[in-house]
């Protein structure tokens, strides 16, 4: 009798188990299920670049052959306002200064500005800073970084509220080509060591320049380039690219969009770091092969902007040459180069 009850109990348990398994399979296959993810607090997560399933990471632009964009439209009194890759081309009349001020000012941004004052170029610092205080990013926190081989020669220029200046000693070089080639390396190292904690955006300018009109938040973007004033109206075959294939800065005749000036570039500090580091790698590759690009860092800058398109392009009004007459297409000059004999 005891054995019979045991067998009946085991049989009942077996049938119940089979029933539960069948029920589980039914629920899993036919009923919708939702899951609530739970994330543990882990600081390393925020340093990782997470990819959604099926999403492809951003890749540099491959070598493609396409018509050159022309800054001057069919009517030569107007400038192009959008690149073929949908980056805005900024010039007077393409933006509302008050609207942008109201949008950006509440963000409490800090904009960094680097210049190199080496050798006789220390004589340009005072005029550069005075004009920047008059016109550069009014209403924002600004941090000037002056790299120089002669800190004692730096002038005292009164700064407005929320504006700071740091003089950073660097090694001097006898050849200006060497100074130019070191710029990308110095900027990328400075960002990695310090600037990434101090600024949101960073612009890199030549010191022998002067601001003539307001330079504001219309220039802010992920990666910003400026069209060179000497080549905005010519075909890309006439651009002074590096044409020797042995150089890392080599550009084919049918490549290129605009010729960008090396005297002004910028963007979000993280993107400027990636950009300057990439240019520096190209410079090192050329050095290892015993070659110097035609226009040093500017050649590598233009090579990189072909494969890593700028997200915003500034018209030549942000980098004019006062030795040239102002054309009717440029309604306002905001920044211009000084004659090397002027201080």
């Amino acid at each position: 009798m005891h054995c019979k009850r045991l067998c009946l109990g085991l049989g009942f348990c077996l049938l119940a188990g089979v029933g539960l398994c069948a029920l589980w399979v039914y629920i899993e296959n036919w009923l919708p299920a939702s899951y609530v993810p739970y994330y543990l607090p882990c600081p390393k997560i925020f340093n990782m670049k997470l990819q959604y399933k099926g999403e492809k990471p951003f890749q540099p632009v491959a070598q493609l052959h396409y018509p050159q964009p022309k800054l001057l439209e069919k009517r030569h009194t107007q400038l192009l306002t959008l690149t073929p890759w949908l980056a805005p081309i900024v010039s007077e009349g393409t933006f509302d200064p008050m609207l942008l001020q109201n949008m950006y000012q509440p963000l409490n941004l800090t904009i960094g500005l680097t210049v190199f004052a080496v050798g006789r170029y220390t004589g340009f610092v005072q005029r550069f800073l005075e004009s920047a205080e008059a016109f550069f990013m009014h209403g924002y926190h600004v941090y000037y970084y002056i790299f120089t081989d002669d800190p004692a020669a730096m002038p005292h220029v009164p700064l407005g509220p929320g504006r700071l200046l740091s003089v950073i000693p660097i090694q001097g070089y006898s050849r200006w080509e060497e100074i130019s080639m070191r710029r990308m390396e110095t900027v990328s190292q400075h960002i990695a060591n310090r600037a990434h904690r101090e600024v949101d955006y960073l612009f890199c300018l030549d010191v022998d320049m002067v601001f003539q009109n307001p330079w504001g938040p219309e220039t802010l973007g992920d990666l910003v380039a400026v069209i060179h004033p000497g080549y905005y109206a010519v075909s890309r075959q006439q651009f002074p690219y590096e044409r020797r294939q042995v150089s890392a800065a080599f550009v084919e005749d049918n490549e290129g969009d605009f010729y960008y000036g090396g005297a002004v570039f910028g963007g979000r500090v993280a993107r400027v770091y990636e950009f300057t580091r990439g240019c520096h790698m190209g410079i090192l590759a050329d050095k290892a092969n015993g070659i110097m690009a035609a226009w040093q860092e500017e050649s590598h800058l233009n090579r990189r902007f072909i494969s890593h398109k700028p997200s915003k392009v500034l018209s030549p009004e942000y980098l004019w040459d006062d030795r040239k007459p102002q054309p009717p297409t440029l309604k306002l000059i905001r920044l211009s180069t000084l004659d090397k004999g002027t201080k």
Side-chain angles (χ1 to χ4, degrees):
M1 187 69 179
H2 181 70
C3 253
K4 188 175 181 182
R5 287 182 179 176
L6 181 62
C7 289
L8 286 172
L10 289 174
F12 178 81
C13 289
L14 182 61
L15 287 172
V18 171
L20 287 172
C21 286
L23 180 63
W24 174 256
V25 170
Y26 172 80
I27 292 172
E28 188 177 43
N29 290 336
W30 296 102
L31 294 181
S34 61
Y35 301 91
V36 178
Y38 178 75
Y39 299 100
L40 293 174
C42 176
K44 290 184 179 178
I45 286 290
F46 301 103
N47 294 326
M48 296 172 61
K49 293 183 178 179
L50 302 178
Q51 300 288 331
Y52 288 107
K53 191 173 182 180
E55 180 186 26
K56 294 183 179 179
F58 172 79
Q59 296 293 330
V61 178
Q63 285 188 332
L64 297 174
H65 297 160
Y66 53 87
Q68 175 194 348
K70 300 292 181 65
L71 182 63
L72 295 177
E73 294 183 333
K74 292 181 180 179
R75 290 178 293 175
H76 284 246
T77 57
Q78 290 186 336
L79 298 180
L80 188 68
T81 58
L82 197 67
T83 70
W85 60 96
L86 302 181
I89 301 175
V90 181
S91 61
E92 178 65 13
T94 61
F95 60 92
D96 185 328
M98 290 303 299
L99 176 61
L100 292 180
Q101 194 79 342
N102 290 332
M103 290 172 58
Y104 280 93
Q105 207 157 27
L107 300 179
N108 196 33
L109 298 173
T110 300
I111 294 91
L113 182 57
T114 71
V115 292
F116 284 71
V118 179
R120 67 187 182 91
Y121 283 82
T122 57
F124 292 100
V125 173
Q126 180 157 350
R127 190 168 177 185
F128 176 87
L129 287 176
E130 289 173 347
S131 68
E133 280 298 287
F135 295 115
F136 183 74
M137 291 293 177
H138 269 194
Y140 298 88
H141 300 292
V142 172
Y143 210 137
Y144 300 107
Y145 300 108
I146 302 180
F147 298 90
T148 181
D149 61 343
D150 189 4
M154 293 299 97
H156 174 71
V157 175
L159 303 180
R163 302 168 83 90
L164 301 171
L165 184 146
S166 183
V167 175
I168 303 166
I170 59 171
Q171 182 181 346
Y173 295 93
S174 57
R175 298 170 61 240
W176 69 269
E177 294 91 348
E178 187 70 25
I179 298 169
S180 172
M181 302 265 293
R182 295 278 180 176
R183 183 185 179 195
M184 294 294 185
E185 175 188 17
T186 304
V187 170
S188 63
Q189 289 179 352
H190 177 67
I191 293 173
N193 296 334
R194 176 178 167 184
H196 74 279
R197 297 189 301 267
E198 298 176 336
V199 301
D200 301 293
Y201 293 85
L202 185 69
F203 285 97
C204 305
L205 274 63
D206 282 358
V207 73
D208 56 334
M209 312 190 80
V210 62
F211 291 91
Q212 296 190 20
N213 281 291
W215 177 305
E218 77 277 2
T219 61
L220 298 179
D222 279 357
L223 189 59
V224 181
V226 61
I227 298 173
H228 196 291
Y231 302 97
Y232 70 93
V234 302
S235 69
R236 58 187 171 193
Q237 286 74 26
Q238 296 174 266
F239 292 168
Y241 287 144
E242 173 55 67
R243 301 299 187 181
R244 293 170 294 177
Q245 294 189 22
V246 69
S247 173
F250 167 69
V251 178
E252 293 183 7
D253 284 344
N254 54 3
E255 279 190 293
D257 304 302
F258 307 102
Y259 188 79
Y260 302 108
V264 180
F265 65 92
R268 288 188 180 272
V269 67
R271 292 296 304 276
V272 176
Y273 171 71
E274 294 169 1
F275 184 81
T276 53
R277 186 176 61 171
C279 290
H280 177 53
M281 291 298 104
I283 291 169
L284 287 180
D286 276 4
K287 193 170 185 179
N289 290 324
I291 188 173
M292 181 181 290
W295 289 101
Q296 296 83 42
E297 64 164 21
E298 187 172 85
S299 296
H300 288 277
L301 174 143
N302 273 277
R303 172 65 266 177
R304 192 158 182 86
F305 271 138
I306 292 174
S307 57
H308 297 72
K309 304 291 190 192
S311 63
K312 182 172 285 187
V313 176
L314 307 182
S315 75
E317 70 183 47
Y318 291 87
L319 178 59
W320 191 245
D321 184 346
D322 276 345
R323 294 171 298 183
K324 302 175 181 292
Q326 181 177 339
T329 50
L330 299 183
K331 301 179 180 66
L332 195 68
I333 302 301
R334 300 179 186 275
L335 181 74
S336 61
T337 58
L338 291 171
D339 189 290
K340 298 299 185 288
T342 305
K343 293 186 182 179

